Each structure stands twice: as structure tokens, then as C-alpha cells.
Amino acid sequence: AEYMGHFLSVYFFSPHAVMAAAACAVVSKWNTPLFVKVLDSAPPEDNVRLQFLMHASLDIVEDKLNVPGKLDTYLGLLLPLEDYRMYGYVTNTRIKVIVVTIGDADPLAVKRLCQRLHEAASSAVCN
């Protein structure tokens, strides 16, 4: 978890950050949270709300995974809200990555972020 926290702080708070992210989660294939982080860019009063919404978006992820012929691991926009947008990514081992951005974000940047979060989670688990 410390490695993931370091990765997030470098990625989101560097001068090269490409989006305003509010939260992210890495979830096992059994929908058990492996890592959940609400970033400082989100207001403190939204902490519990964002955690709940990330958990609720897992139903949307499951629906998208049950579409026949779906081959891309990037699931795209899961849930647009007033202030936030929730994006999903799933690996071939069914590990799910949920990213919440503040407002709209470039889909390619979100996909890259999801891939990097998965790599960081894999590195943290394997070490």
C-alpha cells in the first residue's frame, strides 16, 4: 500500500499530471478491495461518497464484462456524475481498476493510468 501511495503522489501531483483525479481503487476478481485511495484533490466531505460510488460501479463493470465479444480491457466511462467521472479497467485475471476523475478526462490518459496502477499493484503484491 505504501508503494501504491507513493506512485499516486508522484503521478497525480507531478507537474506532468494530465488529469485531475479524485480517487482510485484496485479490486480483486472476487470484488474485494485490494487498494482504495481518495486523493487530496477531492473535498474531505466526499471521501465516503467516493468510496461508496467506486464500490457501486463494480456492478457496471460486471455488466460490461458480460457483453459478448468485448475484448478491450479498458471499459471506458462507467458512471458520469455531476462533479466526477468514473472509469474502469479490467485485467485478464479479472483484477479491476476504478479511477475517479474530477470532470472529463482524456480516455487514452485514463487507460494509461489504469495500466500503470495495475503494474504498481502487481509490483506491490509480488514484492
Side-chain angles (χ1 to χ4, degrees), residues 49 78 90:
R49 177 179 173 229
L78 299 175
V90 65

Side-chain angles (χ1 to χ4, degrees), residues 18-60:
V18 293
M19 71 188 83
C24 68
V26 178
V27 182
S28 75
K29 67 179 177 179
W30 300 285
N31 290 337
T32 310
L34 302 173
F35 178 81
V36 178
K37 178 76 173 171
V38 177
L39 301 169
D40 294 336
S41 57
E45 60 271 9
D46 283 355
N47 191 324
V48 173
R49 177 179 173 229
L50 287 171
Q51 290 184 37
F52 173 76
L53 289 169
M54 284 189 289
H55 183 73
S57 69
L58 292 174
D59 290 333
I60 300 168

Side-chain angles (χ1 to χ4, degrees), residues 58-74:
L58 292 174
D59 290 333
I60 300 168
V61 169
E62 293 299 326
D63 288 343
K64 287 193 173 214
L65 290 176
N66 291 329
V67 173
K70 177 75 173 161
L71 298 176
D72 192 14
T73 56
Y74 177 63

Side-chain angles (χ1 to χ4, degrees), residues 2-15 17 24 35 37 39-40 117:
E2 183 179 325
Y3 177 78
M4 292 287 290
H6 174 71
F7 167 77
L8 289 172
S9 65
V10 168
Y11 193 85
F12 288 117
F13 301 115
S14 74
C24 68
F35 178 81
K37 178 76 173 171
L39 301 169
D40 294 336
L117 280 169

